[in-house]
Amino acid sequence: DVKSIEALHKAVHGYRGMFGSLDCMHTVWKNCPIAWQGSYKGKEKKCTIVLEAISDYHLWFWHAAYGFAGTLNDINIFNLSPFLGHLLDGTFEEKEKSTVPFQIGGEEFEQLYVLVDGIYPKYSRFVHGISQPLHDDEKKYTAWQAACRKDIERAFGVLQAKWQCLARPMHGKILQRIGNKMACCLILHNMCVSDRVMGDV
């Protein structure tokens, strides 16, 4: 799978080594218990539950973690994420062996990378845009990075458009049941992507 993802992004975006795009999405929790509202009411001024996900160009979610409090920012969520655990314990390195090393512009790289926005830490696996590009090369690179990161934004948009219960406020009071609803929608979404991309499988 990792080899196929890397080949897909090489064909679509023009560079080797890309695993996908990482970002977070908030879902409104209408019936959040009053005792928990201080933890779940963040910058949106409403109680929200956060989904962290990595998506590829076909909008398939390869990583998803849900249930984080809305007061947490993307860095705090990444520090609690199982994806960080896979990076630290070597699980992800085992899976990427078939695709590394690879070369970009004559330079050899030993790790796949993920596209992120500016809030994420400057890890070797994270590729950010340049906040204030000065010359044409930096402007082209930043425009390319922003265009490629649209993959995850499109994935969130399609997920909420197809399963509109995620776009509307969650009315449940039990976090486990809300999490099960999100997991069900993610699985169904990936099944639809599989049928769209590969036909009836």
Side-chain angles (χ1 to χ4, degrees):
D1 285 339
V2 175
K3 199 170 185 178
S4 298
I5 300 168
E6 197 269 343
L8 167 67
H9 290 137
K10 168 71 170 69
V12 173
H13 297 309
Y15 290 94
R16 293 203 57 198
M18 185 190 304
F19 179 68
S21 301
L22 172 67
D23 206 357
C24 293
M25 177 186 88
H26 290 254
T27 56
V28 176
W29 189 6
K30 185 177 186 297
N31 291 333
C32 177
I34 292 174
W36 294 2
Q37 288 185 7
S39 297
Y40 283 85
K41 191 178 289 186
K43 62 182 181 181
E44 283 78 16
K45 307 303 181 190
K46 296 177 181 177
C47 296
T48 58
I49 308 170
V50 184
L51 167 70
E52 181 196 59
I54 296 176
S55 168
D56 65 15
Y57 177 76
H58 287 318
L59 313 185
W60 180 286
F61 287 103
W62 290 100
H63 157 72
Y66 184 66
F68 302 104
T71 52
L72 301 175
N73 63 22
D74 292 6
I75 298 176
N76 303 135
I77 291 169
F78 179 69
N79 288 336
L80 300 170
S81 170
F83 180 60
L84 177 61
H86 293 319
L87 294 178
L88 293 176
D89 67 12
T91 306
F92 192 77
E93 288 183 13
E94 286 296 318
K95 296 180 180 183
E96 69 181 351
K97 280 184 177 178
S98 62
T99 60
V100 295
F102 60 91
Q103 290 191 347
I104 298 178
E107 187 174 348
E108 190 170 277
F109 295 88
E110 298 289 337
Q111 297 176 330
L112 297 180
Y113 58 88
V114 178
L115 300 182
V116 295
D117 59 21
I119 193 172
Y120 284 92
K122 299 192 180 301
Y123 294 161
S124 60
R125 288 187 183 273
F126 288 173
V127 174
H128 304 79
I130 299 171
S131 58
Q132 295 180 333
L134 299 176
H135 49 76
D136 289 342
D137 288 343
E138 289 184 351
K139 289 176 183 176
K140 285 179 184 176
Y141 161 75
T142 302
W144 170 84
Q145 196 267 0
C148 295
R149 274 201 70 249
K150 293 286 190 284
D151 294 349
I152 187 66
E153 303 297 344
R154 286 188 305 120
F156 286 149
V158 170
L159 179 70
Q160 288 184 312
K162 192 177 290 287
W163 318 107
Q164 294 197 4
C165 61
L166 304 182
R168 299 189 177 108
M170 301 285 188
H171 287 273
K173 292 185 178 179
I174 301 172
L175 195 55
Q176 180 66 43
R177 289 184 183 174
I178 296 173
N180 290 342
K181 182 191 292 187
M182 175 62 78
C184 178
C185 292
L186 286 166
I187 291 168
L188 290 170
H189 170 89
N190 277 358
M191 289 171 66
C192 291
V193 171
S194 176
D195 284 349
R196 174 174 56 84
V197 173
M198 294 179 280
D200 188 13
V201 293

